[in-house]
Amino acid sequence: MTAEQPTGPVVVTPHGAVRGRYERGGAVFRGIPYAAPPFGPRRFRPPEPPEPWDGVRDAGAFGPTAPKPPYSEAFARYLSDPVVAGDDCLNLNVWTPEPGPGARLPVLVWLHGGALTRGSSAVPVYGGHAFARDGVVLVSVNYRLGIEGYGLFPDAPPNPGLHDQLAALRWVHDSIAAFGGDPDNVTLCGQSAGAISVGALIAAPPAQGLFRRAVLQSGAPEFSERDRVRRMVRRMAGRLKVAATAEAFAAVDRALLLRTQAEVGKLSSPVLGGPAFGIVVDGDLVPRDPLQALIDGEAARGADLLMGWTRDEYRLWLVPGGLVERVDRLGTVALAGAMARCHAGHDVPRGYRAARPGAGTAEVVGQMVTDHLLRLPLHRLADARPGRSYLYEFAWPSLVPGLGACHALELGFVFDTGEVPESVKLAGAGAPQELGDAMHSAWVRFATTGDPGWQAWDASHPVRIFDVGEPRVAYGPRDAELGLWPATATVPQPASASGVRAPGAARASAVRRLRRSVAARRR
């Protein structure tokens, strides 16, 4: 054996053998292709199987990441997004404690977030060593992003990025036993855009039977209006001075395409709205609104769900670039935009202000949008599910000033990777390890047994609050919807029978108004 020939475990996949590495008590296989490079004649098309290879393919390094623009300087202070060059970007990674058939260990399949335009499986926060250490096989997936994965063209099928994820899930079903995993015990898990993707996949007819459970972190099942995605494509076409077709976009220099995408997408944040890429109803993989399909019980009937949010999601959307101060200065203009974004009447923000005396416009706007995008739909889904649902709120505030318990902060705790510099960028130095132990172990239990360790959702509305100190679950009566709010509110509140403080009248009234507004729009 020469120095150039690495040693490590070898596993045979349907397309060829791969050699991984032994690391930290387990085995890691990186950059395994689950589909062919999506370029050339495959551009903007559903994924195709990879070409089989002879011999043993080295799987020691992360594979190429999907084409994507970098984060702005303001967001790059908090979020890391490595780039690995190359066209073979439809690849995945496997962490396993026991490579080889026969182990039949639970499997967690991870779909990263990034607004469907950024992110990859190579982000160090998503390292799977802790899951492997605790007896779970972790699979993390790269998929097409932005215009490549979610552009809507008259001459190409929609949702190729979602089809990539389905192809990866099928690869897991066919291949994971050889890595020590149990193909009949697969949990599909994602955060933000990854959670939205999970919601679409568990509702997708072709995905039924490929998963047993699902985790939705800070993202609810949804679909984008086709015209919203078309506006994004048309604006890019206008700047590029080409037709809004897949054929025309395929002829544009790829770096120019990414720069144009970044410029057009500057106003595509969850708070500001604007044109953006998203999953669209396509009559095939997404035959209808995924949330409504799940609520109606048409899909994933027996699947257990773990769903939740961070207390201050909106702070990652607004703090970078000084948007909190800008929204506060805009005042009623920003509030009017949020009311339109949430399809809410004037009584809704009044209720939010009553529930948060002294809050600035940015906080009111941020919480309204968070409730509209996350808490309300996740509550509706938990209420309607025939299977078990478990809800949580991540409430620990970052040690980085201004971020609070912001979007994506929980990730280093879920993966137990709080020590890596990329986690410290968002959480600050000295994040509590006991919180990582609690959250990571809950995800391990859920992937293993379907029970993360607290009461399943019922009429008492239990929500596990992840914070420092003793573990606690907040409860609330159905009409008050305690799960929509932080359990550590500062407004006067009566105590509930459980001993956890129930929401005040103003807070409950604001929630009911928002619920009525959303329900009226759906009718």
Side-chain angles (χ1 to χ4, degrees), residues 106 136 185 187 212-213 304 388 390 441-453:
V136 175
N185 191 8
T187 298
R212 186 169 178 178
R213 305 181 184 94
D304 300 320
R388 294 181 300 177
Y390 299 88
S441 64
W443 264 240
V444 169
R445 284 194 300 267
F446 184 75
T448 303
T449 69
D451 183 349

Coordinates of all heavy atoms in Angstrom, one line a residue, residues 106 136 185 187 212-213 304 388 390 441-453:
P106 N -30.8 3.3 13.0 CA -31.7 4.4 12.5 C -30.9 5.3 11.6 O -29.7 5.5 11.8 CB -32.2 5.0 13.7 CG -31.2 4.7 14.8 CD -30.7 3.3 14.4
V136 N -26.7 6.6 15.3 CA -27.5 7.0 14.2 C -26.7 7.3 13.0 O -25.6 7.9 13.0 CB -28.3 8.3 14.5 CG1 -29.1 8.8 13.3 CG2 -29.2 8.1 15.7
N185 N -36.2 2.6 8.6 CA -36.2 3.5 9.8 C -35.5 4.8 9.4 O -34.5 5.1 10.0 CB -35.6 2.8 11.0 CG -35.8 3.6 12.3 OD1 -36.6 4.6 12.3 ND2 -35.2 3.2 13.4
T187 N -35.5 8.9 9.0 CA -36.1 10.1 9.4 C -35.6 11.2 8.5 O -34.4 11.4 8.3 CB -35.8 10.5 10.8 OG1 -36.3 9.5 11.7 CG2 -36.3 11.9 11.2
R212 N -39.9 7.2 7.5 CA -40.8 6.8 8.6 C -41.2 8.0 9.4 O -42.3 8.0 10.0 CB -40.1 5.7 9.4 CG -40.9 5.1 10.5 CD -40.2 3.9 11.1 NE -40.9 3.3 12.1 CZ -40.5 2.2 12.8 NH1 -39.3 1.6 12.4 NH2 -41.2 1.6 13.7
R213 N -40.3 9.0 9.5 CA -40.5 10.1 10.4 C -40.0 11.4 9.7 O -39.3 11.3 8.7 CB -39.8 10.0 11.8 CG -40.2 8.7 12.5 CD -39.5 8.6 13.8 NE -39.8 7.3 14.4 CZ -39.0 6.2 14.3 NH1 -37.9 6.3 13.6 NH2 -39.4 5.1 14.9
D304 N -44.4 10.0 12.3 CA -44.3 10.9 13.5 C -43.6 12.2 13.0 O -42.7 12.1 12.2 CB -43.5 10.2 14.6 CG -44.1 9.0 15.1 OD1 -45.3 8.9 15.2 OD2 -43.4 8.0 15.3
R388 N -48.4 11.0 15.6 CA -47.9 11.8 16.7 C -47.1 13.0 16.2 O -46.3 12.9 15.3 CB -47.0 10.9 17.6 CG -47.8 9.8 18.3 CD -46.8 9.0 19.2 NE -45.7 8.4 18.5 CZ -44.7 7.7 19.0 NH1 -44.6 7.6 20.3 NH2 -43.8 7.2 18.2
Y390 N -44.7 16.3 17.8 CA -44.0 16.9 19.0 C -43.5 18.3 18.6 O -42.8 18.4 17.5 CB -42.8 16.0 19.4 CG -43.2 14.6 19.8 CD1 -43.3 13.6 18.8 CD2 -43.4 14.3 21.1 CE1 -43.6 12.3 19.2 CE2 -43.8 13.0 21.5 CZ -43.9 12.0 20.5 OH -44.2 10.7 20.9
S441 N -29.7 14.9 22.0 CA -30.2 13.6 22.5 C -31.7 13.5 22.1 O -32.1 12.3 21.9 CB -30.0 13.4 24.0 OG -30.7 14.4 24.7
A442 N -32.4 14.6 22.1 CA -33.8 14.5 21.7 C -33.9 14.1 20.2 O -34.8 13.3 19.9 CB -34.5 15.8 22.0
W443 N -33.1 14.6 19.4 CA -33.1 14.3 18.0 C -32.7 12.8 17.8 O -33.3 12.1 16.9 CB -32.2 15.2 17.2 CG -32.9 16.4 16.5 CD1 -33.0 16.7 15.2 CD2 -33.6 17.4 17.2 NE1 -33.7 17.8 15.0 CE2 -34.1 18.3 16.2 CE3 -33.9 17.7 18.5 CZ2 -34.9 19.4 16.5 CZ3 -34.7 18.8 18.8 CH2 -35.1 19.7 17.8
V444 N -31.7 12.3 18.6 CA -31.3 10.9 18.5 C -32.5 10.0 18.9 O -32.7 9.0 18.2 CB -30.1 10.7 19.4 CG1 -29.8 9.2 19.5 CG2 -28.8 11.4 18.8
R445 N -33.1 10.4 20.0 CA -34.3 9.5 20.5 C -35.4 9.5 19.4 O -36.0 8.5 19.2 CB -34.8 10.1 21.8 CG -34.0 9.8 23.0 CD -34.7 10.0 24.3 NE -35.1 11.4 24.4 CZ -34.4 12.3 25.0 NH1 -33.3 12.0 25.6 NH2 -34.9 13.6 25.1
F446 N -35.7 10.7 18.8 CA -36.7 10.7 17.8 C -36.4 9.9 16.6 O -37.2 9.1 16.1 CB -37.0 12.2 17.4 CG -38.1 12.3 16.4 CD1 -39.4 12.2 16.9 CD2 -37.9 12.6 15.1 CE1 -40.5 12.3 16.0 CE2 -39.0 12.7 14.2 CZ -40.3 12.5 14.7
A447 N -35.1 10.0 16.1 CA -34.7 9.2 15.0 C -34.7 7.7 15.3 O -35.0 6.9 14.4 CB -33.4 9.6 14.5
T448 N -34.5 7.4 16.5 CA -34.4 6.0 16.9 C -35.8 5.4 17.2 O -36.1 4.2 16.8 CB -33.5 5.8 18.2 OG1 -32.2 6.4 17.9 CG2 -33.3 4.4 18.5
T449 N -36.6 6.1 18.0 CA -37.9 5.5 18.5 C -39.1 6.3 18.0 O -40.2 5.8 18.2 CB -37.9 5.5 20.0 OG1 -37.9 6.8 20.5 CG2 -36.6 4.8 20.5
G450 N -39.0 7.5 17.6 CA -40.1 8.3 17.2 C -40.6 9.2 18.4 O -41.6 9.9 18.3
D451 N -39.9 9.1 19.6 CA -40.3 9.9 20.8 C -39.1 10.7 21.2 O -38.2 10.1 21.7 CB -40.8 8.9 21.9 CG -41.3 9.6 23.1 OD1 -41.1 10.8 23.2 OD2 -41.9 8.9 24.0
P452 N -39.2 12.0 21.1 CA -38.0 12.8 21.5 C -37.9 13.0 23.0 O -36.9 13.6 23.5 CB -38.3 14.1 20.8 CG -39.8 14.2 20.8 CD -40.3 12.8 20.6
G453 N -38.9 12.6 23.8 CA -38.7 12.7 25.2 C -39.7 13.6 25.9 O -39.5 13.9 27.1

